[in-house]
Amino acid sequence: DLLWFGGIGTYVRASTETDDQAGDRANDAIRVTPEQLRVKVIGEGANLGMTQRGRIEAAMKGVRLNTDAIDNSAGVNSSDVEVNLKIALSLPRADGRLTLEDRNALLAQMTDEVAALVLRNNYQQTLAISLAERRGLEDLGHEQRLMQSLEARGLLDRAVEYLPDDAAIAARRRAGAGLTRPELAVTLAYAKLTLFDDLIASSVPDDPYLGRELMRYFPPEMRERFPDAIEAHRLRREIIATSLSNSIINRGGPSLIARLKDRTGAAIAEIAAAFAAVRDSYGMQKINADIDALDGKISGKTQLDLYAAVQDLLLDRIVWFLRTADLTAGLEAIVAHYRDGIDKVASVLGEALPEDTAAARRARIAAWTAAGVPEDLATTIGSLPEIKAASDIVAVADKAGKPIEDVARTYFAAAAAFRLDRIVNDAGAIPTADHFDSLALDRALDGIEAASRRLTGEMLAGGTGAAAVEGWIEARKAKVERTLGAMQDIVRSGLTVSKLTVASSLLGDLVRE
């Protein structure tokens, strides 16, 4: 594959061994060096200054490239950090803790730390584009909704940005094609800029928990020596909003906010809180860092698959927190509570899962390990389908007043009895014709999840684990058998959105008064 590294002005071809990874990281010449890619230069010249139309056409022909704004963002980002560092250091300069010479020496000393922070953002930014490109047709409706929402606010002119109109999107959908990388780079920029403005207009930068993003923006040495200067920064709110908008969009993708607003109707402040709750409760920063550490060690495709598994969990649980959790209770307490519960669920998976579920988990872990993923990370990623349910288990435990471990055993036994794992897994492959089909699918899955919580809560009244599930089913044998038979017929006939909606309703009827 041809790659255009705009910042270098050179066409390169990656060696066969790392073609996948090169493609996934195309245009990120800082993140993936020529030495890492073992590239062979096949043509040189000045930066050609390709137009956006040219980039889109090249992308449609198989050339992997982004936009100039993405290619050259590290320089702009570095300037921003430098200016904000100097503003912060004006306080210790004014009160005599730093001389001008000391300040300059400190700035020089922090060069590598600043570079690491800047490259981190660029790393995540190109990764966001790669993940959005990977989702392709799956995300096309959400990208369309993003563009429509921006147009409705007078913030976007698709013709000016060479983005496809609704008719062109319909044609791409018929052709099975999503947006190209250059187009996704534009929607990424608009998503970040719009989210920044919305965050600034909200109370989010003033939230004590979300305000911690301020410290994360600055190098470690600055945080250690002059935390008061950072806290007193006159652009404090802007820095927090910038860090949050980068983190939310980089991890969730360009269409995240449009997707969440459509599915939940939540305000920006609620979405930001839910994002932080999921990220920190599920320990996603460490998981993503462990995946980052595999650069050059596994194929790019496998690495993207790992990131996508974490992103899937993020997207799913943000919706869950917005619909189910009380985010007004204070983020610090919410995160601590759910993180503790999720850790407890993870600790009992080895013995709490029914055999079929445990076997599926073992198979996933073995597949990741065979792909070169270290055992600990393979176990973490391979367990995500079960760990996803941990927030439900915590919610049931809170309501029932039962230990997390007992609730986990009962929840998984109930899911196995009603074959919910198969239904949910098959639902992920249901094609959706448009945005409204996606919403209907989401609502049906939400109904199944809510019914699972209620079922587990009822079963816990008669004990815990498989025995409690069996006792509950025996007491309602005829009704349960009819429901299970109807649900099995639905699954055998091939799931569709409408069939999944019926299955959700049938399951809900079992626990509906």
Side-chain angles (χ1 to χ4, degrees), residues 65-94:
L65 73 175
N66 302 309
T67 61
D68 281 333
I70 295 295
D71 297 342
N72 299 306
S73 64
V76 176
N77 197 179
S78 298
S79 298
D80 288 345
V81 175
E82 178 189 357
V83 169
N84 285 320
L85 274 171
K86 289 178 177 177
I87 291 173
L89 291 173
S90 65
L91 178 62
R93 276 274 293 121

Side-chain angles (χ1 to χ4, degrees), residues 361-402:
R361 173 175 174 255
R362 289 194 296 270
R364 290 193 301 269
I365 294 170
W368 287 120
T369 304
V373 179
E375 186 174 352
D376 286 350
L377 181 58
T379 300
T380 297
I381 301 295
S383 302
L384 290 186
E386 289 74 39
I387 289 299
K388 181 180 79 171
S391 55
D392 283 297
I393 292 168
V394 172
V396 174
D398 289 343
K399 189 171 183 178
K402 301 282 188 178

Side-chain angles (χ1 to χ4, degrees), residues 131 134-135 291 303-313:
L131 286 172
R134 179 185 181 277
R135 290 182 179 275
I291 301 172
Q303 196 174 15
L304 271 186
D305 288 344
L306 292 168
Y307 284 121
V310 180
Q311 189 180 68
D312 286 343
L313 177 65

